[in-house]
Amino acid sequence: MEAKLTHLATLAQKDKTPAYLALLSETLSRPDPSTLPADLHTLVDAVANPDIVGLVTGRQVISELVKSIGASAISDHDIRKRVVEDALATLQPRIASYEEQVNSLRFQLADLLETEEEWTEAARVLMGVSLDSGSRSLPDEDKFRVYVRIIRLLLEDEDSVQAETYYNRAASLSNSTSNKEIQLQFKLCQARISDYARKFLEAAMRYHELSWVAEIDEEERKQILSHAVTCAVLAPAGPNRSRVLASLYRDERSAELPTYNILSKMFLDRILRPAEVKSFEDSLRPHQLAKISISGNDRLASAVDEDDLADPSTSTRKGPSTVLDRAVMEHNVLASSKIYNNITFRGLGTLLDLAPSAAETMARKMIEQGRLKGSIDQVDKLIWFEGGREEDDAQGKAGGLGDVEQTSEATGAPFTKRWDMQIRTTAANLEAIVQHLAIQGLIQAPA
């Protein structure tokens, strides 16, 4: 190869282009590919030198090489990858002269790495593509495609932080294309980034919206719906999550999912038991099981009292340890508010497997954030829940968890009293109708 290149360098300028192209074609058509990477490296190094070959000839030869590689002129995957990497290493310092060729090589190398499932490496290669250069700027639609592809590759390796950076760049170009496939890929990236960033409520809404798109394969839509349910369960308890849970619960397809049991219990405000949570936990991905830390203020507020330490059954946990742990505890607090008029700190702690002061802290934060309606009586160590009180002025205290000394009669939970009142009202109305029919002579006494 060295001798041939030395000979070609002595040719007249007008004869160099066809001569170098002929040498490239001859090199690529060799039956033995073992020496191909070294020979092509030598050839590219020679033609990229404008002092020997000239810029016009160099561009033509390298463009032909890039085109041939893209057309699978080199069948062996490893050899093709090595040739592309060598060519990039040679041309990158001269990118001002070979920008288009370098970009094409980067796209080809990203394809090769993607087939090897080297997601992050493929994304890094695409990050080096010149999208906004002084000599040649790609259209907004092409930039959008590149950004979406980088985001997808980064998310495959769960690098949500860097993926969000490129998502922000892509968001400003999202209206540049009418291609439905790219738009769907972008929306799916939106949902996945929200998922990885633990913005579970937002992720659940995005997943559920995508699960209705007819262009997506049915099996994949079912998987997306499953992600929506998972994120809704992990979202912070409150009115917003309740709306999302209601939408998912009423979706007929949800009944076929393995997570339907926990979805229905959360929607119906039923308390979740450890065995049910454990089966759901097994279906979660690593980022959804991330550990969460307790702030210094919350740790101080959740200190266990001496009176509580005297009871061996009292938990000493100061807060939830995982995202799932927190979601289940907050849900159980809300479920308790539907069952009881009030509950002691110790009673709520027993239900949540938390120290009484930690249970109070969790309820207090939910009340502050508007996710729980109620008030806290720190003197009597009680949490009062609002709702249903207008139907009976004589309030009972904590039904079942926590002993509270009181002089008034415990009359039960508000929803039970409401049900009793409806039965009494219905019976009274029925009796009034019967009496009215009897007065009119429309009812005959039995013989």
Side-chain angles (χ1 to χ4, degrees):
M1 177 60 71
E2 293 285 353
K4 292 179 180 179
L5 290 173
T6 302
H7 171 69
L8 293 180
T10 61
L11 297 175
Q13 190 63 38
K14 64 183 180 63
D15 298 326
K16 284 184 178 180
T17 300
Y20 278 107
L21 289 173
L23 178 59
L24 173 63
S25 178
E26 176 193 335
T27 305
L28 291 172
S29 60
R30 288 178 187 170
D32 181 15
S34 59
T35 61
L36 194 59
D39 288 343
L40 287 177
H41 176 75
T42 305
L43 176 60
V44 170
D45 194 45
V47 298
N49 189 340
D51 297 331
I52 300 175
V53 178
L55 186 59
V56 175
T57 300
R59 281 179 176 168
Q60 286 182 291
V61 176
I62 291 173
S63 295
E64 184 62 28
L65 173 62
V66 172
K67 181 180 176 182
S68 299
I69 296 173
S72 301
I74 304 173
S75 57
D76 187 275
H77 175 89
D78 293 334
I79 293 177
R80 190 192 315 173
K81 179 182 174 183
R82 183 179 166 188
V83 168
V84 172
E85 288 176 335
D86 285 347
L88 270 175
T90 302
L91 297 174
Q92 188 64 44
R94 303 179 176 93
I95 191 171
S97 302
Y98 299 99
E99 182 180 321
E100 185 177 350
Q101 291 80 5
V102 168
N103 285 350
S104 297
L105 287 170
R106 284 189 173 277
F107 284 122
Q108 292 183 27
L109 181 56
D111 291 339
L112 294 170
L113 290 169
E114 196 169 347
T115 59
E116 297 176 358
E117 298 187 1
E118 295 287 344
W119 314 116
T120 301
E121 287 301 317
R124 286 175 182 165
V125 169
L126 290 175
M127 290 175 194
V129 174
S130 301
L131 301 177
D132 294 297
S133 65
S135 58
R136 186 176 181 273
S137 180
L138 291 177
D140 286 348
E141 182 174 358
D142 291 344
K143 293 179 191 176
F144 183 66
R145 287 174 181 271
V146 174
Y147 286 145
V148 170
R149 187 176 176 188
I150 291 173
I151 296 167
R152 285 195 305 106
L153 290 169
L154 290 171
L155 289 176
E156 288 295 330
D157 272 346
E158 301 191 359
D159 187 355
S160 60
V161 176
Q162 199 162 13
E164 189 167 4
T165 301
Y166 281 88
Y167 164 76
N168 293 332
R169 297 183 188 180
S172 61
L173 303 172
S174 58
N175 295 325
S176 62
T177 180
S178 57
N179 187 300
K180 190 120 187 187
E181 182 181 355
I182 298 298
Q183 288 286 2
L184 286 176
Q185 289 178 0
F186 178 66
K187 289 180 179 180
L188 184 57
C189 289
Q190 282 181 312
R192 293 181 67 188
I193 287 174
S194 298
D195 188 350
Y196 282 112
R198 300 184 205 168
K199 299 176 183 177
F200 293 117
L201 189 64
E202 181 182 326
M205 291 188 289
R206 294 189 187 280
Y207 278 134
H208 194 206
E209 179 187 351
L210 285 168
S211 72
W212 290 106
V213 178
E215 286 80 2
I216 300 177
D217 180 72
E218 184 176 354
E219 194 62 32
E220 191 172 348
R221 273 189 286 154
K222 186 176 178 180
Q223 187 67 27
I224 291 172
L225 179 63
S226 178
H227 292 330
V229 172
T230 299
C231 289
V233 169
L234 295 174
N240 292 332
R241 189 191 69 159
S242 296
R243 283 191 286 270
V244 176
L245 287 173
S247 177
L248 289 166
Y249 181 77
R250 294 183 182 118
D251 190 328
E252 296 177 355
R253 302 170 299 165
S254 297
E256 302 173 8
L257 300 176
T259 52
Y260 179 72
N261 180 50
I262 196 167
L263 168 65
S264 61
K265 286 207 163 189
M266 282 204 158
F267 171 70
L268 298 171
D269 291 322
R270 295 174 182 169
I271 291 175
L272 294 171
R273 301 301 176 187
E276 297 164 336
V277 176
K278 176 62 179 173
S279 63
F280 176 73
E281 184 179 4
D282 294 338
S283 67
L284 298 182
R285 288 170 288 171
H287 73 277
Q288 294 168 335
L289 292 169
K291 299 287 185 181
I292 56 176
S293 59
I294 306 173
S295 68
N297 290 338
D298 287 349
R299 191 179 296 276
L300 186 62
S302 303
V304 182
D305 295 339
E306 291 182 3
D307 294 342
D308 295 326
L309 286 173
D311 186 352
S313 64
T314 301
S315 174
T316 57
R317 290 182 66 194
K318 295 185 178 181
S321 57
T322 66
V323 174
L324 175 62
D325 211 10
R326 179 176 61 192
V328 170
M329 287 181 182
E330 290 182 349
H331 166 77
N332 283 342
V333 172
L334 275 183
S336 300
S337 72
K338 308 295 183 183
I339 302 172
Y340 305 119
N341 288 344
N342 56 44
I343 192 168
T344 61
F345 295 170
R346 180 177 295 181
L348 186 60
T350 301
L351 178 65
L352 303 180
D353 189 23
L354 287 178
S357 52
E360 177 206 358
T361 300
M362 175 169 285
R364 172 178 54 78
K365 291 176 73 174
M366 292 178 68
I367 292 171
E368 287 175 352
Q369 295 166 2
R371 296 189 285 129
L372 175 67
K373 292 183 178 181
S375 58
I376 295 178
D377 183 345
Q378 290 185 318
V379 175
D380 291 335
K381 295 187 176 181
L382 275 175
I383 301 170
W384 285 89
F385 300 119
E386 294 179 6
R389 296 186 184 178
E390 68 280 357
E391 301 194 12
D392 194 345
D393 292 330
Q395 292 298 307
K397 289 202 173 182
L401 286 177
D403 297 327
V404 181
E405 291 185 4
Q406 56 183 37
T407 56
S408 59
E409 180 185 359
T411 55
F415 283 90
T416 302
K417 291 180 291 182
R418 184 181 301 176
W419 177 250
D420 292 343
M421 179 62 73
Q422 289 173 344
I423 292 175
R424 289 198 297 268
T425 303
T426 302
N429 290 337
L430 180 60
E431 179 66 22
I433 292 171
V434 171
Q435 288 179 1
H436 179 73
L437 293 175
I439 292 171
Q440 298 295 325
L442 298 175
I443 298 179
Q444 295 181 354

